[in-house]
Amino acid sequence: MLRVVAVIFVLLLSDLLMGQEDTIQLEAVEFLALSRTGGDQLKAYSVKDSAWQHQTQHFFDLLQYNTSAAMRSNGLGMVSSISMRGGTAQQTSFLWNGIPINSKLLGQSDPNILAIPEFAEVNIVPGGNSLLHGSGAIGGVVEINNQNVIDTESRAHIKLRAASFETVQAGSGFTLSKPNSGLQFFVNAGSARNNFTVPAAQYVNQNGETYFLMAGGQAAHRFNAKTTLSAHFQWSEEERNFILSSAGATPTARHSNQLLTLLRLQHRTTIFQHQWDLSYSRESYEYFNPAGENALPQNGDHVNSYLARYDVQLNLGRSLDLKLLSQLSKDFAEGFNTGISDVNLGNGHAALQADYRIINSILSQSAIRKEFSNGYASPLLFLQRFRWTPYNTYQLQLGFSSNFRAPTINDMFWQPGGNPNLSPEYALQWELDQKLSIAQADLKLSIYYNSIENMIRWLPTQGDIWTPVNTHRVVSKGLEASLERRFWKNKIQILTMYAFTDARNQETGNLLTYTPQHKLNVNLALQHNKWRFGVQNMYLSKQYTHTDSNPDTAINAYGLTNLNLGYVFSQKPLKRLTFGINNLFNTQYQMMPYRPMPGINFTSQLIFEI
């Protein structure tokens, strides 16, 4: 497979380089969107189902096959996590319309239960972004943004999906749009038994049932050309059994729900751009042991979070932009049988950013940010970038930044073991990014070096009691490359993504656990008349499961291939039927020890749009 990818790269690059132009096109002085959701566009990329799959059950699958991030799951539909640039799951920040939504208890988001609405766009921004987004953005950011509903197309849809292992899913939604206002609503539900077997491993997946229900929407009104008010909400509920590690293990389960709300006011003048945000969110978890219809929760927690934010940008001609970013937030946590009781954490920050055009082809961005918290000693953050655009087809960027990850509520207050005296993880990073866009092709290449101190680890301290402590230093370095090529009036698309990651504990020299050094994705999408065809390929190298990098306990490298076939009965109104084959070659693999994943399986989906 690697040889095939090499041939594709050579062919695409040869065509790409022959089309180079030597003109310079000036750009506005704007590295980062004022709304904090636009990311650094030189290295950011939109996550799309590039192989005409259109039928992923979980957000996890979308990220697995369409990004260079390393994904991990405790089983099909089970607890999952994402790792970017060798960072931990807590070092990847998830944003919903610019608002951080990582769990305040766990410090991370679970892509297997983070249901994505029908009307949303997803962007990935690798690299340190703590100056804009705060804690947890050391490795990168996953942005989930609602699409614009003003002056767009009004429509409604129904989506039905059925798949192997008694998996069903249904969703519907609508958008009503006018020149100065818009309204949107959606609802989505699904369940799965996950009752698969892996004969080669003599494995039967037990207690794998999952269920989710979500609803959400937004409303927006543009008062005039300068002022827009929008309101967003999203609610989700999830029930999940945890698969058994052995035949005699006790069944357990978890029930969780999440509510996200946001009120946003934007006002723009010739010189100023203002944005005010007010947000309320709630997360709740209950754990059951044993699982069952009449079981009572054994423990659980919930957190209520409030956020107020004001950002303003001052446009001083073509050469200089100034931005002031400010925020106050408050978290109230309460639990039972966890030791967490009456937790009240306050946090705030102020940041100043200056984007300056040194000469026509060189932009500079400088920024500083100071955190204020009653839960931890916050560091002073800085960011410095230089971008060079010698041609309208080529850009080069060099950046230096400091980033951090604050201890979570569980880290500080879980009993027994919580440690309220933890220091935040602190990182220094440099990166070099390049982008070449020629002849219906986009080539991106990034190299980076990330040094992280005060890593927080839970370690045994007194018998069976584990306590989080600040321990070793980690250095993560590597490269990321992607090449997207379009042919035949965009009817053929090839997306190739490769990531090399070397993340090591500097005390031992060993690679970090569950951090593959190589990940490769090759996706092909083809459309002809009413037919759609797609193929997805993913390769993941060996992963160590113990800190001593013992090869005997490592997870072996594996590759997966998915095929998808679709037929579009009509475009307006849209009527589409798709059929997919996952794990085409029936590969036996696992992402976690003692958790075999399913072999070949099938999925189908029907979409009606009016």
Side-chain angles (χ1 to χ4, degrees):
M1 184 167 126
L2 291 175
R3 294 181 179 178
V4 173
V5 175
V7 172
I8 292 175
F9 256 101
V10 171
L11 291 175
L12 297 183
L13 280 173
S14 61
D15 187 28
L16 206 135
L17 293 174
M18 289 177 63
Q20 184 171 347
E21 302 176 10
D22 293 330
T23 58
I24 296 178
Q25 181 176 341
L26 300 180
E27 58 178 313
V29 181
E30 185 157 354
F31 277 75
L32 303 163
L34 180 63
S35 64
R36 308 189 190 193
T37 60
D40 180 356
Q41 297 304 315
L42 182 58
K43 60 182 179 180
Y45 57 92
S46 178
V47 180
K48 300 177 181 178
D49 212 339
S50 56
W52 291 108
Q53 189 176 15
H54 296 292
Q55 50 197 351
T56 50
Q57 178 186 4
H58 302 292
F59 189 33
F60 179 92
D61 302 312
L62 191 69
L63 298 176
Q64 171 88 314
Y65 290 101
N66 295 280
T67 76
S68 58
M71 309 296 297
R72 188 174 78 214
S73 177
N74 281 347
L76 185 63
M78 296 295 105
V79 175
S80 66
S81 62
I82 179 174
S83 172
M84 298 175 66
R85 294 192 170 182
T88 64
Q90 292 90 348
Q91 293 170 354
T92 300
S93 179
F94 281 75
L95 305 175
W96 174 74
N97 295 307
I99 303 300
I101 59 172
N102 281 31
S103 168
K104 302 298 175 61
L105 297 163
L106 307 173
Q108 65 185 72
S109 286
D110 183 347
N112 260 338
I113 65 169
L114 187 61
I116 301 303
E118 305 295 335
F119 307 103
E121 59 181 15
V122 178
N123 300 311
I124 298 290
V125 189
N129 287 275
S130 288
L131 193 134
L132 276 182
H133 305 303
S135 172
I138 293 177
V141 172
V142 180
E143 302 174 343
I144 305 165
N145 301 322
N146 287 114
Q147 296 174 344
N148 177 48
V149 293
I150 297 179
D151 198 16
T152 185
E153 183 180 6
S154 295
R155 58 193 177 99
H157 79 273
I158 297 175
K159 179 185 290 186
L160 304 174
R161 178 178 180 270
S164 299
F165 320 127
E166 300 183 41
T167 299
V168 293
Q169 187 173 336
S172 64
F174 67 86
T175 300
L176 298 177
S177 182
K178 294 183 178 181
N180 291 309
S181 61
L183 177 66
Q184 193 175 84
F185 179 79
F186 63 87
V187 62
N188 203 354
S191 65
R193 285 286 304 278
N194 290 330
N195 52 348
F196 62 89
T197 61
V198 184
Q202 298 181 337
Y203 176 80
V204 178
N205 200 59
Q206 300 181 66
N207 201 50
E209 295 88 347
T210 63
Y211 160 82
F212 80 89
L213 173 65
M214 72 171 301
Q218 60 175 320
H221 180 72
R222 184 167 53 207
F223 296 95
N224 49 52
K226 298 179 180 180
T227 307
T228 302
L229 178 67
S230 61
H232 312 260
F233 89 94
Q234 183 170 310
W235 170 85
S236 62
E237 181 179 63
E238 175 258 353
E239 294 182 2
R240 176 192 297 175
N241 291 353
F242 296 129
I243 58 176
L244 305 184
S245 57
S246 62
T250 302
T252 57
R254 185 181 74 180
H255 176 269
S256 65
N257 61 65
Q258 182 184 54
L259 174 65
L260 305 171
T261 65
L262 171 64
L263 183 66
R264 171 168 290 167
L265 177 64
Q266 295 172 303
H267 180 72
R268 176 191 295 260
T269 66
T270 303
I271 299 177
F272 289 98
Q273 297 180 55
H274 306 270
Q275 180 169 298
W276 295 266
D277 288 341
L278 292 175
S279 174
Y280 165 73
S281 62
R282 176 184 172 88
E283 61 175 303
S284 175
Y285 300 93
E286 292 181 336
Y287 294 87
F288 297 83
N289 184 11
E293 288 187 11
N294 300 317
L296 296 176
Q298 302 299 303
N299 57 68
D301 299 284
H302 66 264
V303 182
N304 293 291
S305 299
Y306 303 84
L307 179 147
R309 174 184 288 177
Y310 171 63
D311 296 343
V312 60
Q313 175 173 314
L314 175 62
N315 303 312
L316 299 175
R318 292 184 54 82
S319 297
L320 179 63
D321 282 354
L322 295 177
K323 300 183 181 74
L324 174 64
L325 314 174
S326 60
Q327 176 179 299
L328 293 174
S329 64
K330 201 77 169 177
D331 300 324
F332 300 92
E334 190 71 40
F336 60 98
N337 294 334
T338 63
I340 296 175
S341 177
D342 196 26
V343 172
N344 183 342
L345 290 178
N347 180 275
H349 73 253
L352 180 64
Q353 175 181 314
D355 296 347
Y356 176 68
R357 186 184 300 281
I358 300 175
I359 60 175
N360 285 341
S361 60
I362 298 180
L363 295 176
S364 169
Q365 179 185 80
S366 304
I368 58 172
R369 167 174 168 149
K370 178 58 181 174
E371 290 272 331
F372 307 93
S373 174
N374 66 343
Y376 54 87
S378 56
L380 178 68
L381 303 180
F382 72 88
L383 170 70
Q384 178 63 57
R385 288 195 183 111
F386 298 97
R387 179 180 296 176
W388 180 43
T389 310
Y391 311 104
N392 67 339
T393 56
Y394 175 76
Q395 289 183 326
L396 181 145
Q397 179 173 282
L398 177 63
F400 306 88
S401 64
S402 59
N403 302 277
F404 82 108
R405 201 272 286 187
T408 68
I409 291 176
N410 281 2
D411 289 336
M412 292 187 287
F413 302 108
W414 182 279
Q415 293 298 326
N419 182 0
N421 299 315
L422 289 169
S423 298
E425 298 174 347
Y426 183 74
L428 292 174
Q429 181 177 115
W430 68 262
E431 55 190 328
L432 180 67
D433 306 298
Q434 299 180 76
K435 180 181 179 181
L436 181 64
S437 300
I438 300 175
Q440 292 188 306
D442 294 317
L443 172 65
K444 293 183 179 180
L445 176 64
S446 298
I447 58 175
Y448 62 89
Y449 181 94
N450 197 2
S451 176
I452 308 171
E453 297 180 345
N454 292 328
M455 288 285 288
I456 298 174
R457 295 180 61 200
W458 284 74
L459 300 174
T461 55
Q462 301 177 21
D464 295 332
I465 297 178
W466 291 59
T467 298
V469 294
N470 294 109
T471 59
H472 53 262
R473 173 172 170 258
V474 166
V475 168
S476 177
K477 53 189 176 182
L479 65 87
E480 298 167 336
S482 68
L483 177 58
E484 183 177 4
R485 184 71 167 93
R486 300 166 292 279
F487 303 90
W488 195 25
K489 298 180 180 180
N490 292 331
K491 293 184 177 181
I492 299 178
Q493 300 179 32
I494 298 176
L495 174 63
T496 301
M497 308 184 77
Y498 170 74
F500 169 76
T501 306
D502 188 275
R504 296 180 183 271
N505 182 331
Q506 293 304 288
E507 293 182 2
T508 64
N510 294 329
L511 292 169
L512 297 189
T513 58
Y514 300 104
T515 305
Q517 286 194 296
H518 306 277
K519 183 182 181 183
L520 176 67
N521 293 78
V522 181
N523 296 340
L524 169 67
L526 168 66
Q527 55 177 314
H528 179 65
N529 295 329
K530 294 185 177 183
W531 290 96
R532 306 289 187 266
F533 172 76
V535 58
Q536 297 173 314
N537 296 279
M538 187 202 69
Y539 169 81
L540 211 60
S541 66
K542 178 173 61 177
Q543 303 173 65
Y544 295 108
T545 62
H546 289 72
T547 56
D548 60 358
S549 295
N550 186 349
D552 296 331
T553 57
I555 294 175
N556 294 327
Y558 61 89
L560 300 173
T561 298
N562 300 333
L563 290 182
N564 296 281
L565 182 66
Y567 184 78
V568 180
F569 296 94
S570 66
Q571 288 285 359
K572 289 191 176 182
L574 177 64
K575 297 178 182 178
R576 180 175 63 210
L577 176 66
T578 58
F579 177 77
I581 305 175
N582 300 321
N583 196 359
L584 177 66
F585 300 110
N586 202 33
T587 300
Q588 183 180 334
Y589 73 104
Q590 55 186 4
M591 297 182 180
M592 293 288 289
Y594 316 112
R595 296 287 192 273
M597 299 295 284
I600 187 170
N601 59 91
F602 307 92
T603 182
S604 60
Q605 183 169 265
L606 183 62
I607 298 177
F608 293 95
E609 188 174 288
I610 58 176

